[in-house]
Amino acid sequence: MAGRGGASAAAPLLEKTAAAAESGGGCCYVDGCPGCAVDRHKAANPGIPYGNFIYVWIVTLCTALPISSLFPFLYFMIRDLNVAKRTEDIGFYAGFVGASFMFGRCLTSTVWGIAADRVGRKPVVVFGISSVVVFNTLFGLSVNYWMAIATRFLLGALNGLLGPIKAYAIEVCRPEHEALALSLVSTAWGIGLIIGPALGGYLALPAENFPTVFSPDSIFGRFPYFLPCLCTSIFAAVVLISCIWMPETLHKHKVHENRSRNIEALEARLIDSNEKVEESGSLDSKKSLFRNWPLMSSIIVYCVFSFHDMAYTEVFSLWAESDKKYGGLSLSSEDVGQVLAVTGASLLVYQLFLYPSINKVLGPIKSSRVAAILCIPILFAYPYMTYLSEPGLSIVLNIASVIKNNLGVTIITGTFILQNNAVPQDQRGAANGLSMTGMSFFKALAPAGAGIVFSWAQKRQHAFFFPGDQMVFFLLNAVELVGLLLTFKPFLAVPDEGEAPKRVPFTPRKVYKQGHTPI
């Protein structure tokens, strides 16, 4: 029969092919290689690697918290540093402090990604967390404007965490758990962007807000913005210590993931149809990242939707807190914080329990398209919420915010999957670093652009075409529509002919060790 004959013929051919793929005559697993140790563990344990997923969660949270924790107190910090001559200039100077982190990350993300492919994921992650501990603490101790700018810039430039941790997330799990792994990155990121502002808002100015606990003469009285930064740095220090036990996933020998995948694919093809398979072919192919169109197209889609999400985040708070006569909701900062807290909790539930099933049924591209289509009517409905009164307003606003943010995370996670499946392991860190560079650039532009458009829109309350804030949400929808169109062919490409890149799951039926016969 073809099955038995194919199996017997497959073994020597696979052994020979594997030996040719390895530069020194080895095979799938190499003794002493940390990447092979992780692959061996995945082969023997088909379940979800909860322990490694915890590292993905806490490292992502560690890089997300410093980004947003300063925004609730940045206005007051710039005021106290006495750099602005007029009150109207505070926002101008605050914008540069907020953008300095993204600018620094934009300059170095690709470099950190390449470093993660050369020396490993773990060293880059450890160094990035160390930079959070040092420079986030120094930012809280800033005594002048330029110190604040410099520490935020260095924090972004030396914090190369997000790119490598996305690569790490899918390398510690089997293919069937990739969607869950990358959704953990998105969820931890979203939770961090909600917890961060809460820390900054509640813990800034402790001597004024909690005079019975913090004396004006204490370090927290002399540095009123140090406490929220210190809390984030302490959390980062705990994560740094825990990373001692974090396993490395990068292979330390001259073989990359595509080779072992092709070996497994050869086995399946020979067993099923007893085909002849040439030993040469795509086993040693390695594209330049810039000539890898599946990667570059997914990065462009990622940047467009990241620009949209950042602009939406900026607009949402401004719109919700602005006066109703300008088309806003006249909500307090506490009301907005409550909405964001509910949204953050929903992100956790959605990503852990719903998104993996959605991705399994639709795949990353179709799920992103559906999410983008559903976002458009929701954004169009926002300006009309001004006609609602309590308690209906709170209910509708919370529902809309939950749906919109979960749809946005669906799109971003889908692009994560496409990017990481478009390259072999030894290019995955550089690929994620490249995507981080582009994303950081667009996210540096989004808040400034959204603020300018929002200010302009509020001056045209009686215009004929989309008056007031309707224009803001119309432009957000225009960006969403551009992103949606970019998810279709011929622009968006995937490595395989199908909509989602297919990976052959590893099977431990034939395991080779360096210098040993098949077992």
Side-chain angles (χ1 to χ4, degrees):
M1 299 295 290
R4 295 182 62 183
S8 60
L13 179 57
L14 283 169
E15 185 175 5
K16 185 176 180 182
T17 305
E22 301 277 329
S23 59
C27 281
C28 293
Y29 296 145
V30 175
D31 293 335
C33 171
C36 288
V38 172
D39 286 345
R40 184 184 292 112
H41 184 269
K42 289 190 294 184
N45 298 276
I48 298 174
Y50 291 103
N52 291 330
F53 278 180
I54 290 176
Y55 283 113
V56 173
W57 174 272
I58 60 177
V59 170
T60 306
L61 191 59
C62 187
T63 190
L65 287 176
I67 293 177
S68 57
S69 60
L70 81 160
F71 289 112
F73 62 78
L74 183 58
Y75 179 91
F76 305 102
M77 185 179 191
I78 299 301
R79 180 199 64 187
D80 294 345
L81 292 176
N82 298 316
V83 65
K85 297 180 179 179
R86 299 181 304 171
T87 302
E88 294 87 342
D89 296 331
I90 291 178
F92 173 81
Y93 289 100
F96 286 103
V97 176
S100 58
F101 179 94
M102 287 295 179
F103 181 64
R105 194 170 70 174
C106 176
L107 295 179
T108 61
S109 290
T110 301
V111 176
W112 286 119
I114 295 173
D117 287 338
R118 299 286 178 85
V119 301
R121 317 308 189 204
K122 184 175 178 178
V124 173
V125 167
V126 168
F127 187 87
I129 297 174
S130 301
S131 72
V132 173
V133 175
V134 175
F135 292 104
N136 189 65
T137 302
L138 291 176
F139 174 73
L141 296 172
S142 296
V143 294
N144 57 59
Y145 178 71
W146 292 109
M147 181 178 177
I149 286 278
T151 52
R152 287 293 294 182
F153 173 81
L154 291 173
L155 180 60
L158 300 178
N159 184 354
L161 291 173
L162 193 55
I165 204 62
K166 287 192 292 183
Y168 182 87
I170 70 169
E171 290 167 359
V172 295
C173 66
R174 295 164 67 96
E176 58 266 29
H177 303 310
E178 281 183 1
L180 176 60
L182 290 176
S183 70
L184 284 175
V185 177
S186 302
T187 306
W189 183 262
I191 296 295
L193 296 183
I194 293 171
I195 295 177
L199 287 175
Y202 285 110
L203 300 181
L205 301 166
E208 295 182 14
N209 297 327
F210 311 102
T212 58
V213 179
F214 299 97
S215 168
D217 298 326
S218 67
I219 186 173
F220 300 110
R222 290 182 286 116
F223 299 96
Y225 311 104
F226 177 52
L227 183 57
C229 296
L230 178 63
C231 291
T232 302
S233 297
I234 290 174
F235 173 76
V238 173
V239 175
L240 180 62
I241 294 173
S242 69
C243 284
I244 295 174
W245 298 277
M246 177 180 174
E248 176 61 71
T249 59
L250 185 68
H251 288 275
K252 299 297 185 180
H253 53 94
K254 295 181 180 179
V255 60
H256 59 63
E257 191 174 89
N258 270 5
R259 292 173 179 160
S260 56
R261 288 185 192 173
N262 281 323
I263 292 170
E264 296 156 17
L266 285 173
E267 179 184 11
R269 290 171 59 190
L270 285 169
I271 291 175
D272 292 339
S273 60
N274 202 18
E275 295 176 333
K276 284 187 176 182
V277 182
E278 296 180 358
E279 295 176 24
S280 61
S282 61
L283 291 178
D284 57 354
S285 62
K286 183 175 180 179
K287 289 182 179 180
S288 165
L289 293 180
F290 292 101
R291 289 188 286 118
N292 185 340
W293 184 243
L295 171 66
M296 297 307 297
S297 61
S298 62
I299 288 178
I300 293 172
V301 173
Y302 174 51
C303 289
V304 171
F305 281 115
S306 294
F307 177 89
H308 173 273
D309 288 350
M310 195 70 177
Y312 166 80
T313 302
E314 177 84 3
V315 164
F316 179 80
S317 296
L318 293 175
W319 167 72
E321 294 176 357
S322 62
D323 196 277
K324 282 197 172 185
K325 66 181 180 181
Y326 296 114
L329 300 180
S330 298
L331 298 182
S332 65
S333 57
E334 290 82 6
D335 294 331
V336 175
Q338 182 179 354
V339 173
L340 295 178
V342 172
T343 301
S346 73
L347 285 174
L348 180 61
V349 174
Y350 173 77
Q351 289 286 356
L352 291 179
F353 301 107
L354 297 180
Y355 178 75
S357 299
I358 293 174
N359 180 77
K360 185 177 180 180
V361 174
L362 297 179
I365 297 180
K366 285 185 178 179
S367 61
S368 297
R369 289 173 183 165
V370 171
I373 291 172
L374 293 177
C375 279
I376 293 176
I378 293 175
L379 286 174
F380 267 127
Y382 269 81
Y384 298 100
M385 293 184 191
T386 55
Y387 298 106
L388 300 176
S389 57
E390 296 292 351
L393 174 60
S394 295
I395 295 173
V396 172
L397 183 62
N398 276 280
I399 293 174
S401 178
V402 166
I403 296 176
K404 171 64 183 69
N405 281 277
N406 281 291
L407 292 175
V409 168
T410 299
I411 299 170
I412 295 299
T413 306
T415 60
F416 285 172
I417 295 174
L418 293 177
Q419 291 168 29
N420 283 279
N421 282 339
V423 291
Q425 191 203 37
D426 58 357
Q427 289 184 312
R428 197 169 283 149
N432 280 291
L434 185 63
S435 72
M436 288 297 300
T437 298
M439 181 269 283
S440 298
F441 176 76
F442 277 83
K443 281 198 170 184
L445 295 178
I452 292 172
V453 170
F454 185 83
S455 178
W456 165 71
Q458 291 206 326
K459 298 174 183 176
R460 51 187 307 279
Q461 294 295 321
H462 304 290
F464 175 75
F465 182 73
F466 290 115
D469 292 341
Q470 292 184 30
M471 175 58 72
V472 178
F473 290 101
F474 169 76
L475 293 177
L476 285 174
N477 265 333
V479 177
E480 187 84 12
L481 181 61
V482 170
L484 172 63
L485 295 176
L486 294 181
T487 63
F488 289 91
K489 295 180 180 179
F491 184 82
L492 183 64
V494 292
D496 298 327
E497 292 297 323
E499 282 240 320
K502 289 181 172 59
R503 295 179 61 189
V504 180
F506 182 83
T507 173
R509 285 177 296 173
K510 291 184 176 65
V511 179
Y512 300 93
K513 290 186 178 179
Q514 191 171 17
H516 291 75
T517 56
I519 59 175

